[in-house]
Amino acid sequence: MDDATGEELQSALRAAEAVFIRKKIHPLKGMEGRCQLEGWDDRGCVEDDPDYTDEDARNALAWIDAEEAAILVLSKNRSFFEVSPVFEMTVVEIKEGSPANTLPVAANSEIDLRTRKAA
Protein backbone atom coordinates (compact mmCIF):
# COMPACT_ATOMS: atom_id res chain seq x y z
CA MET A 1 0.00 0.00 0.00
CA ASP A 2 1.30 3.43 -0.81
CA ASP A 3 2.88 5.15 2.18
CA ALA A 4 2.73 2.05 4.40
CA THR A 5 5.31 2.25 7.14
CA GLY A 6 7.77 -0.50 7.90
CA GLU A 7 5.87 -1.20 11.09
CA GLU A 8 2.57 -1.51 9.19
CA LEU A 9 4.16 -3.87 6.68
CA GLN A 10 5.54 -6.03 9.49
CA SER A 11 2.10 -6.14 11.12
CA ALA A 12 0.55 -7.16 7.79
CA LEU A 13 3.19 -9.84 7.37
CA ARG A 14 2.45 -11.23 10.85
CA ALA A 15 -1.29 -11.24 10.10
CA ALA A 16 -0.78 -13.17 6.86
CA GLU A 17 1.68 -15.53 8.51
CA ALA A 18 -0.80 -16.25 11.32
CA VAL A 19 -3.36 -17.41 8.76
CA PHE A 20 -0.92 -19.89 7.22
CA ILE A 21 0.06 -21.16 10.67
CA ARG A 22 -3.57 -21.53 11.77
CA LYS A 23 -4.47 -23.40 8.59
CA LYS A 24 -1.24 -25.43 8.72
CA ILE A 25 -0.44 -24.58 5.12
CA HIS A 26 2.99 -23.44 3.97
CA PRO A 27 2.84 -20.10 2.12
CA LEU A 28 4.36 -21.70 -0.99
CA LYS A 29 1.52 -24.24 -1.02
CA GLY A 30 -0.92 -21.35 -0.67
CA MET A 31 0.73 -19.58 -3.59
CA GLU A 32 0.59 -22.77 -5.69
CA GLY A 33 -3.10 -23.20 -4.87
CA ARG A 34 -3.79 -19.60 -5.87
CA CYS A 35 -2.04 -20.18 -9.20
CA GLN A 36 -4.08 -23.38 -9.71
CA LEU A 37 -7.24 -21.40 -8.96
CA GLU A 38 -6.34 -18.89 -11.66
CA GLY A 39 -5.72 -21.73 -14.12
CA TRP A 40 -9.07 -23.33 -13.23
CA ASP A 41 -10.76 -19.97 -13.79
CA ASP A 42 -9.00 -19.58 -17.17
CA ARG A 43 -10.26 -23.06 -18.15
CA GLY A 44 -13.87 -22.05 -17.45
CA CYS A 45 -14.35 -23.27 -13.86
CA VAL A 46 -15.26 -26.81 -14.92
CA GLU A 47 -16.67 -28.67 -11.91
CA ASP A 48 -14.63 -31.89 -12.14
CA ASP A 49 -11.38 -30.39 -13.43
CA PRO A 50 -8.63 -32.93 -12.66
CA ASP A 51 -6.04 -30.13 -12.63
CA TYR A 52 -7.79 -28.31 -9.75
CA THR A 53 -8.17 -30.51 -6.69
CA ASP A 54 -9.80 -30.01 -3.30
CA GLU A 55 -6.29 -29.57 -1.87
CA ASP A 56 -5.61 -26.82 -4.42
CA ALA A 57 -8.83 -25.12 -3.34
CA ARG A 58 -7.88 -25.31 0.38
CA ASN A 59 -4.43 -23.92 -0.38
CA ALA A 60 -5.87 -21.12 -2.54
CA LEU A 61 -8.32 -20.20 0.21
CA ALA A 62 -5.45 -20.00 2.71
CA TRP A 63 -3.61 -17.62 0.37
CA ILE A 64 -6.71 -15.45 -0.12
CA ASP A 65 -7.45 -15.41 3.63
CA ALA A 66 -3.83 -14.46 4.39
CA GLU A 67 -3.99 -11.73 1.80
CA GLU A 68 -7.21 -10.35 3.26
CA ALA A 69 -5.74 -10.41 6.77
CA ALA A 70 -2.79 -8.33 5.54
CA ILE A 71 -5.11 -5.95 3.68
CA LEU A 72 -7.21 -5.37 6.78
CA VAL A 73 -4.13 -4.52 8.83
CA LEU A 74 -2.86 -2.09 6.20
CA SER A 75 -6.20 -0.35 5.76
CA LYS A 76 -7.05 -0.23 9.48
CA ASN A 77 -6.06 3.40 10.13
CA ARG A 78 -6.88 4.79 6.71
CA SER A 79 -10.06 6.34 5.38
CA PHE A 80 -11.96 4.73 2.53
CA PHE A 81 -10.44 7.27 0.12
CA GLU A 82 -6.87 6.44 1.17
CA VAL A 83 -7.28 2.71 0.55
CA SER A 84 -6.45 1.42 -2.90
CA PRO A 85 -9.24 -0.81 -4.22
CA VAL A 86 -6.75 -3.38 -5.57
CA PHE A 87 -3.96 -4.91 -3.49
CA GLU A 88 -1.15 -7.23 -4.42
CA MET A 89 0.48 -9.67 -2.03
CA THR A 90 3.87 -10.91 -3.16
CA VAL A 91 6.05 -13.58 -1.62
CA VAL A 92 9.54 -12.11 -1.64
CA GLU A 93 11.37 -14.70 0.41
CA ILE A 94 10.72 -17.37 2.97
CA LYS A 95 13.41 -18.06 5.51
CA GLU A 96 13.63 -21.62 6.74
CA GLY A 97 15.63 -21.68 9.97
CA SER A 98 18.46 -19.32 9.09
CA PRO A 99 19.38 -16.65 6.54
CA ALA A 100 21.58 -19.22 4.78
CA ASN A 101 18.45 -21.18 3.89
CA THR A 102 16.55 -18.29 2.31
CA LEU A 103 14.36 -19.46 -0.53
CA PRO A 104 13.58 -16.62 -2.94
CA VAL A 105 10.24 -16.88 -4.70
CA ALA A 106 7.91 -14.53 -6.52
CA ALA A 107 4.16 -14.69 -6.87
CA ASN A 108 1.39 -12.22 -7.30
CA SER A 109 -2.21 -12.23 -6.21
CA GLU A 110 -4.55 -9.30 -6.58
CA ILE A 111 -7.85 -8.78 -4.84
CA ASP A 112 -10.39 -5.98 -5.19
CA LEU A 113 -11.14 -4.77 -1.68
CA ARG A 114 -14.62 -3.56 -2.62
CA THR A 115 -15.85 -6.84 -4.13
CA ARG A 116 -13.44 -9.19 -2.27
CA LYS A 117 -12.79 -10.97 -5.58
CA ALA A 118 -9.68 -11.49 -7.63
CA ALA A 119 -9.00 -8.51 -9.86
Side-chain angles (χ1 to χ4, degrees), residues 12-62:
L13 173 64
R14 286 190 298 274
E17 190 176 49
V19 171
F20 290 118
I21 291 168
R22 184 174 66 253
K23 292 184 178 253
K24 297 180 177 147
I25 293 175
H26 192 281
L28 289 177
K29 287 292 184 187
M31 177 187 69
E32 289 172 15
R34 183 69 170 98
C35 291
Q36 291 294 337
L37 173 62
E38 289 177 16
W40 178 67
D41 183 50
D42 291 344
R43 292 187 299 277
C45 303
V46 178
E47 188 172 328
D48 292 324
D49 187 335
D51 293 327
Y52 186 64
T53 65
D54 288 345
E55 181 181 359
D56 293 328
R58 279 190 301 277
N59 292 340
L61 182 59

